[in-house]
Amino acid sequence: MNHEITFKPSGKKATVSRGTSVLAAAQRAGVYIPTRCGGKMGCLMCKIQVDETAAKHLSHAAESEQRKLGSLVEQGYRLACQAKIEGTVTVTVPEDKLKAAIRRQLEAARQEREDELW
């Protein structure tokens, strides 16, 4: 059975088979989720955020994933390489910290230019 996954904030989607990892689905959808370990839960870079509704459509976090993430599990984080899709789901890919900082600087500069024009 196939299920659709939607990635926020991009809105990109993929239709994948039940049991596909979120990381593999992201690759299929053209959504970049950083990883160095190739999906072996070694680098902890592929964190995604899920709400309570999404959590019901993903596999349960194994004890090993819970240990690796610690309190982040309670905040709705999962590892994309470990979370398997079990239903239609929407997940959030957190923005890279460097990209977020650059985006904020560009937005501030644009706002300053707009303020000067008025």
Side-chain angles (χ1 to χ4, degrees):
M1 181 173 214
N2 291 332
H3 300 289
E4 185 174 81
I5 180 168
T6 304
F7 295 91
K8 287 183 180 180
S10 70
K12 291 183 178 181
K13 300 178 180 190
T15 301
V16 297
S17 301
R18 179 183 178 96
T20 301
S21 73
V22 172
L23 183 60
Q27 292 167 343
R28 177 176 279 178
V31 173
Y32 175 71
I33 297 179
T35 181
R36 282 194 197 132
C37 69
K40 296 179 177 71
M41 199 171 53
C43 67
L44 305 179
M45 293 177 66
C46 66
K47 291 181 207 75
I48 56 169
Q49 287 181 294
V50 299
D51 61 21
E52 287 181 29
T53 303
K56 294 176 185 175
H57 300 284
L58 295 173
S59 60
H60 292 289
E63 187 178 327
S64 55
E65 181 183 3
Q66 290 179 23
R67 274 195 317 270
K68 292 262 186 177
L69 288 173
S71 65
L72 291 176
V73 171
E74 296 160 10
Q75 298 172 36
Y77 283 90
R78 292 290 308 272
L79 294 176
C81 67
Q82 299 301 302
K84 307 288 189 243
I85 298 165
E86 296 183 346
T88 297
V89 66
T90 298
V91 300
T92 300
V93 179
E95 188 173 30
D96 175 83
K97 290 178 182 177
L98 177 59
K99 287 181 182 178
I102 292 169
R103 179 186 48 74
R104 285 191 299 272
Q105 286 180 335
L106 292 172
E107 287 173 354
R110 185 185 76 231
Q111 186 62 47
E112 283 180 29
R113 284 194 302 276
E114 289 177 4
D115 291 345
E116 290 174 359
L117 293 174
W118 295 105

